[in-house]
Amino acid sequence: GGFKMNFNGGGADPFESMFSDFFGGGQNRAASRDIQTSVQLTLHEVAKGAARTVSIPEMITQDPRTGRKTTHKSREVSVDLPAGVEDGQRMRVAGEGMRAGKQAGSLYITVEVVADPRFKRVGNDLVTTVELSIVDAALGGVASAPTLDGEVEVKVRGATQFGDQLRMRGRGLPELNSSRKGDLFVQFRVTVPKNLTPRQRELLEEFNAEELARET
């Protein structure tokens, strides 16, 4: 396994501090040894957690006071990213930054979650859209809905309206450092056929006539 992640709760960007110190503008020598990088995760990896190997290239730094140059060899760091992380979240691996004497800075990793066209993330909940025919919306039936674990069948009740939704508890994303999980909301979108047969049009006209008669 790799290093476990610690979360950084904000403050100055260590990458900016690093360059400020290298070129003589900063005061924080610890920040000057920090390294910042990023990793990409799919939504499925956010749900399960993921391991990554971070490649740190060779770096040459120069002491602004003495002019002495130091070469930091390239290396790889294995890290374990916990389930439930969010896009833009920054994590810290202590001691994996650049070393200066006996001290070493930290490695900061920013998480980039790749967008999944099937889902919208709202906190730990997920929202997806399922299209229904006007017949299934009116009479009810069964539809297929995507989840992070694959397609599942969901029951559609009769008289479903555009925007109605079904809640699937525990099918969302896990809460970071917790056993709790979010929910999956399936929103229904009713689609109207573009090319009606003469018989379909006749039936719809009969339906419309009956509806008008009921209103009078």
Side-chain angles (χ1 to χ4, degrees):
F3 289 95
K4 300 296 183 182
M5 298 287 96
N6 293 317
F7 288 87
N8 184 277
D13 190 328
F15 193 71
E16 294 176 357
S17 299
M18 179 177 69
F19 275 89
S20 177
D21 283 346
F22 284 161
F23 292 98
Q27 301 297 322
N28 187 347
R29 300 303 301 170
S32 71
R33 295 186 294 269
D34 292 337
I35 298 173
Q36 180 166 290
T37 188
S38 62
V39 297
Q40 288 190 333
L41 296 181
T42 64
L43 210 53
H44 189 270
E45 289 175 319
V46 171
K48 305 296 183 181
R52 282 289 188 275
T53 298
V54 178
S55 297
I56 301 176
E58 181 179 288
M59 297 182 182
I60 300 175
T61 60
Q62 183 174 4
D63 191 309
R65 292 173 295 181
T66 65
R68 180 183 177 183
K69 293 183 178 181
T70 302
T71 299
H72 305 267
K73 294 183 179 180
S74 62
R75 55 194 171 90
E76 293 185 338
V77 179
S78 296
V79 295
D80 292 326
L81 298 145
V85 296
E86 296 188 26
D87 184 60
Q89 202 151 25
R90 193 172 68 172
M91 304 176 179
R92 174 176 174 261
V93 185
E96 288 299 321
M98 288 182 288
R99 183 167 293 278
K102 295 182 179 180
Q103 294 183 318
S106 298
L107 171 64
Y108 286 91
I109 301 174
T110 299
V111 175
E112 299 175 357
V113 180
V114 180
D116 190 317
R118 301 172 300 168
F119 304 104
K120 177 183 178 182
R121 181 177 184 176
V122 182
N124 296 320
D125 295 329
L126 295 175
V127 181
T128 190
T129 300
V130 170
E131 293 187 349
L132 298 177
S133 70
I134 56 175
V135 174
D136 287 337
L139 303 180
V142 175
S144 181
T147 75
L148 290 174
D149 298 315
E151 297 280 328
V152 298
E153 287 190 342
V154 295
K155 186 176 181 180
V156 180
R157 68 177 187 272
T160 293
Q161 304 297 310
F162 184 96
D164 282 357
Q165 64 182 18
L166 175 70
R167 183 176 189 175
M168 303 179 69
R169 296 187 180 276
R171 289 280 194 164
L173 295 171
E175 183 178 323
L176 186 66
N177 299 327
S178 171
S179 60
R180 294 188 292 271
K181 295 186 70 174
D183 301 326
L184 171 64
F185 292 87
V186 180
Q187 294 184 340
F188 295 111
R189 182 168 61 191
V190 182
T191 60
V192 178
K194 295 181 179 180
N195 299 305
L196 295 173
T197 66
R199 177 55 179 162
Q200 289 172 331
R201 180 176 293 278
E202 180 182 355
L203 290 172
L204 285 175
E205 289 174 347
E206 290 179 7
F207 173 80
N208 187 52
E210 289 189 15
E211 285 294 295
L212 292 175
R214 290 172 56 185
E215 295 175 359
T216 58

